[in-house]
């Protein structure tokens, strides 16, 4: 994705109170205050967040931002830079080594769909590549998107495949990064980033036998520090980035800091360092890659020779190279090479040669390769020029640079700076900040995460079911073919991580194509989960029969179309009990409220042993004032085993007192609306405006405005003072000038104005023993704030959801802002990819839109006393524009293109549900020095709250059968509780030779979270232990043996150390580790 031409307008041991998980939580629902928290291993595990061991980096991005003036001065031919000068004799002792790297940037969907691009362009690019590269062994080419490459591979002959393997083997063709796509780095979640990297790497290893060495990311709109970590752990040794704020590029160019070792902010010993090259100019196209002057560089893009379809906007066309002009042309180009080389520390120069979907015709290969070869031959035959120029791959460049400075790849080259931090937010010119795409098309950003949660759940359950079936010798009856559905879902989720997909920056028809793929995979994954759950809960495994036509379990919900919100399944109650199987995709046991829709208010819920479970009956509302007839929600309090399946029974009851009822107050605020009620759920209607009111549970009290129904304050149990946390909806407009907001850019017309709907809201307050909630119905947004009356994690935060529909807005963006009395000054914190936290500072010197950042999972503000975290189930844009504020953009509807090549506005808005958790924590041991460091961590409670929000329990009703169903037993896969700072990121069966079937091996990917202990969590109703990162894997899976355990690099390409007999492992905080295992 890019614009085709640049418009050149241009101390004391800290004692930690044990924090918690649902481990060993009271089996009774009451809170037991006599039970003390065990200190466990916290004091040692708390040291990590205090940091301070490693030396500080030379370049800290937060500090760089504070330092720069962002004054956008005119730099001459290099608009956003400066004039570069050099002495002609600078290369006399050490000649300039130039690597020209031909590339073709293939978007897996943007203006056209993935398939249309493939048929129209990509297949021709790759076909000509095989032909043209064989004509001259000096030619080079790099490729990065495996999604396209694998589709092409499936369609070519064995002969052509052999030619490709030869080209890769002799170094002419390099696969760079090797992911399924070149992912967006702002909205993507680390599970999906890793998954698409594994998918690409596994494909490359199996089909070509190659492991990528260098990363290439020329088009993502800003860069996250999660990426260098993932590439480093996959054993890559170098990486390249391009879209960075022009003021940072200029500053780094002026100080020769465009190449650096990129280190994680939390890394104490440089083990995460990876060498990174930042491109210096505006774009990755040819006019902006040979040197600082695009008017000259464009003359060396030989696809633009006169008579072709594209030309040079600077009005000087390229000229074919002949014996007559080669001296003059080569001299002109060398001058650009030398100037560009002055921005870097070494005498080795990288010059990319390509653009979007380039090299799709043999004539273009000839034009570029023959003309450049003539220039190289001329330059290399003139020793007095002191230059050696050639075609190269990305790794050819890195290797030459390492050789020059005398190190092996992966080591730190002497004399290069260390950098930590990230490169958000991005502006390519003026005040055009690319911060709109953090929210664009939020419907699909949300669907992405739903699919991700289902994929992780399906992978884990399939792996466990298959291991148990193999152990029982029943794998002949198990649907192994479900593996093809998993594989397809990995690829569709991977495809959607592309930087024009999850970003919301593709054409409308392309967005629909992505949506259809996501929904197709979601439906298939529900099948995989149902088949695995069916096998695992059967008491008698011999009775297992897989019948695709009549699944044993039903799904929890259905989505009729790719753009519909889910419709929940209603369970029909009968004289015989109905059974439910509930899947908990978390690796911690959880005590949760499980919601089920039923067709009768007379319902009792029992455990599989027949013990009654606490449950609350409430109405199912179709609108603000209409109850859906004959549908009721029963909410069950159930303890769900870690990664396990719990069997529940629903009985039709004729005893009216079996279920706890909820009561409803409906405030109409003077509006004359009919109310449709059912006699079983009491509703009190109040025509006039209500007074302010509060809801509370054992942990906190939340107070609301009677008029707006919106949250006003939160008070934690045992504290006198209530914390102001008031919420309001706001609307941003866009500018009246020619540059307006679009899919990429956020260009507001000043500060947000209060959202002013034409009618006051209908406010509905539901109170009950297990949960209470306030629903406020406005014209464009319905918001529900729910408080669970449950011990443990669920009861410690507020559940907030917003159903947004702005389809009648014109050039407006809807925001939700929380205002508090937390003294956060100008500092706030946002996550990167759900993996780590990056502190942010509100910069007054920058325009409002520059202060927005991606929020894939959470954002928080804090002072010495409190921290308020907003957890999210979908990526959205976030900022803190004033002390004590946190605001998130919920949706945006924009009527025009923003001149970045898309050619459309954002008009295809859907009804979208945005889900959040609001967590207020008390800070016990904060200090100023600690808070000043460019690093921060969530608490364990915060991590677990995020997991609860992102991995909801799945409720599957057993299909209605006339004969009684076979005996079902709950399934508990783990024999011990995992330490609560460990996360099972994935348990993923690896493919067999036939790639539609699973092999005997699986990848187990574990992540140990870094956490901050200074947030109080005492007497919160449950225990949690950590173990200094130690874990005994050998005995972890109940009823299964761990046949082998081999630590590997992140994407399984390299074994790390030898496979030992020991199955005890140890992980440092923040680290992600992959193991190749056999379960059976």
């Amino acid at each position: 994705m890019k614009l085709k031409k640049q418009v050149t307008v241009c101390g004391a041991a800290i004692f930690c109170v044990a924090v918690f998980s649902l481990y060993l939580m009271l089996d009774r629902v009451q809170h037991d205050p006599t039970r003390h928290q065990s200190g466990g291993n916290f004091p040692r595990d708390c040291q990590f967040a205090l940091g301070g061991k490693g030396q500080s980096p030379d370049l800290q991005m937060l500090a760089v931002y504070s330092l720069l003036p962002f004054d956008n001065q005119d730099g001459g031919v290099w608009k956003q830079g400066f004039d570069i000068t050099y002495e002609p004799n600078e290369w006399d002792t050490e000649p300039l080594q130039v690597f020209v790297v031909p590339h073709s940037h293939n978007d897996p969907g943007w203006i056209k769909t993935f398939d249309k691009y493939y048929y129209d362009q990509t297949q021709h690019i790759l076909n000509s590549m095989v032909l043209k590269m064989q004509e001259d062994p000096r030619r080079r080419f790099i490729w990065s998107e495996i999604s396209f490459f694998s589709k092409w591979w499936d369609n070519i002959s064995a002969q052509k495949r052999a030619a490709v393997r030869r080209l890769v083997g002799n170094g002419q063709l390099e696969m760079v990064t090797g992911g399924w796509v070149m992912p967006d780095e702002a909205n993507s979640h680390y599970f999906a980033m890793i998954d698409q990297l594994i998918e690409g790497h596994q494909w490359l290893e199996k089909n070509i036998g190659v492991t990528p060495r260098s990363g290439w990311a020329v088009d993502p709109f800003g860069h996250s520090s999660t990426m260098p970590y993932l590439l480093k752990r996959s054993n890559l040794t170098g990486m390249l980035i391009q879209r960075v704020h022009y003021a940072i590029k200029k500053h780094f160019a002026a100080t020769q800091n465009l190449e650096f070792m990129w280190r994680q902010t939390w890394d104490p010993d440089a083990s995460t360092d990876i060498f990174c090259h930042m491109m210096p100019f505006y774009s990755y196209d040819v006019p902006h890659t040979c040197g600082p002057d695009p008017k000259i560089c464009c003359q060396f893009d030989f696809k633009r020779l006169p008579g072709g379809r594209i030309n040079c906007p600077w009005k000087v066309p390229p000229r074919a190279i002949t014996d007559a002009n080669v001296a003059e042309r080569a001299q002109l180009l060398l001058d650009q090479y030398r100037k560009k080389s002055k921005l870097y520390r070494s005498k080795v120069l990288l010059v990319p040669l390509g653009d979007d979907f380039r090299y799709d015709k043999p004539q273009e290969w000839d034009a570029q390769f023959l003309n450049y070869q003539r220039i190289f031959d001329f330059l290399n035959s003139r020793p007095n020029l002191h230059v050696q120029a050639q075609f190269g791959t990305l790794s050819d460049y890195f290797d030459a640079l390492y050789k020059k400075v005398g190190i092996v790849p992966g080591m730190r080259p002497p004399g290069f700076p260390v950098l930590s931090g990230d490169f958000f937010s991005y502006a390519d010119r003026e005040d055009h900040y690319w911060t709109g795409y953090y929210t664009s098309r939020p419907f699909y950003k949300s669907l992405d995460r739903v699919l991700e949660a289902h994929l992780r759940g399906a992978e884990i359950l399939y792996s466990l079911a298959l291991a148990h079936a193999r152990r029982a010798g029943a794998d002949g009856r198990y649907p192994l073919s479900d593996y093809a559905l998993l594989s397809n879902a990995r690829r569709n989720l991977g495809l959607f991580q592309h930087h024009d997909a999850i970003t919301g920056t593709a054409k409308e028809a392309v967005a629909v194509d992505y949506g259809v793929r996501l929904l197709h995979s979601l439906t298939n994954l529900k099948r995989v989960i149902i088949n695995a759950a069916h096998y695992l809960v059967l008491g008698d495994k011999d009775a297992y029969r897989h019948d695709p036509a009549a699944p044993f379990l039903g799904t929890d919900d259905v989505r009729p179309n790719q753009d519909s919100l889910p419709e929940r399944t209603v369970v029909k109650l009968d004289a015989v009990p109905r059974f439910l199987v509930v899947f908990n995709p978390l690796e911690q046991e959880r005590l949760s409220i499980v919601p089920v829709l039923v067709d009768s208010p007379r319902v009792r819920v029992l455990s599989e042993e027949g013990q009654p479970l606490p449950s609350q009956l409430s109405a199912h509302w179709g609108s603000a004032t209409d109850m859906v007839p004959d549908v009721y929600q029963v909410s069950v309090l159930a303890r769900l085993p870690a990664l396990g399946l719990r069997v529940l029974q629903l009985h039709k009851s004729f005893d009216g007192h079996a279920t706890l009822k909820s009561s409803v107050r409906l405030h109409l605020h003077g509006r004359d609306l009919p109310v449709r009620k059912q006699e079983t759920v009491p509703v009190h209607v109040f025509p006039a405006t209500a007074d302010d009111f509060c809801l509370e549970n054992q942990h906190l009290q939340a107070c609301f405005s009677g008029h707006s129904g919106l949250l006003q304050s939160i008070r934690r149990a045992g504290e006198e003072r209530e914390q102001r946390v008031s919420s309001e909806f706001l609307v941003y407009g866009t500018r009246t000038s020619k540059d307006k907001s679009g899919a990429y850019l956020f260009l507001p017309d000043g500060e947000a104005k209060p959202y002013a709907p034409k009618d006051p809201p209908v406010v509905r307050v539901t109170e009950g023993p297990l949960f209470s909630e306030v629903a406020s119905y406005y014209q464009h947004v319905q918001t529900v704030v729910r408080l669970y009356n449950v011990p443990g994690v669920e009861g410690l935060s507020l559940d907030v959801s917003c159903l947004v529909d702005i389809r009648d807005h014109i050039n407006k963006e809807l925001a939700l802002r929380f205002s508090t009395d937390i003294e956060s000054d100008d500092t706030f914190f946002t996550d990167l990819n759900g993996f780590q936290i990056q502190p942010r500072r509100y910069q007054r010197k920058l325009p409002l839109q520059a202060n927005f950042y991606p929020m894939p999972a959470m954002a928080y503000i804090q002072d010495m006393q409190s921290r308020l975290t907003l957890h999210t189930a979908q990526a959205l844009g976030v900022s803190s524009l004033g002390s004590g504020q946190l605001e998130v953009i919920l949706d945006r509807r924009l009527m025009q293109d923003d001149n970045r090549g898309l050619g459309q506005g954002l008009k295809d808005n859907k009804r979208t549900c945005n889900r959040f958790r609001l967590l207020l924590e008390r800070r016990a041991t904060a200090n100023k020095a600690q808070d000043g460091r460019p690093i921060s961590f969530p608490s364990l409670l915060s991590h677990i709250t995020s997991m609860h929000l992102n991995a909801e329990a799945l409720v599957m009703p057993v299909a209605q059968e006339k004969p009684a169903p076979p005996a079902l037993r709950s399934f508990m896969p783990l024999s011990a509780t995992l330490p609560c700072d460990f996360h099972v990121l994935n348990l993923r069966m690896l493919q067999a030779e036939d790639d539609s079937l699973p092999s005997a091996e699986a990848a187990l990917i574990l992540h140990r979270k870094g956490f901050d202990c200074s947030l109080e969590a005492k007497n919160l109703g449950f225990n949690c232990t950590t173990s200094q990162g130690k874990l005994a894997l050998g005995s972890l899976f109940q009823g299964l043996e761990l046949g082998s355990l081999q630590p590997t690099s992140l994407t399984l390409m390299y074994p790390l150390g030898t496979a030992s007999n020991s199955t005890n492992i140890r992980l440092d905080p923040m680290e992600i580790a992959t193991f190749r295992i056999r379960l059976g």
Side-chain angles (χ1 to χ4, degrees), residues 759-780:
D759 295 310
V762 171
V763 177
R764 190 177 67 233
V765 185
T766 304
E767 290 193 74
L770 296 184
F771 74 86
S772 300
E773 68 180 23
V774 182
S776 312
Y777 285 76
Y778 290 90
Q779 187 186 348
H780 301 97

Side-chain angles (χ1 to χ4, degrees), residues 571-576 578 598-604 650-653 960:
V571 178
K572 295 189 166 33
L573 298 180
D574 212 335
V576 294
R578 289 296 307 268
V598 291
D599 65 349
S600 161
R602 287 188 269 285
V603 57
R604 275 189 316 145
L650 295 179
H651 288 250
K652 204 159 186 174
S653 127
Q960 249 171 320

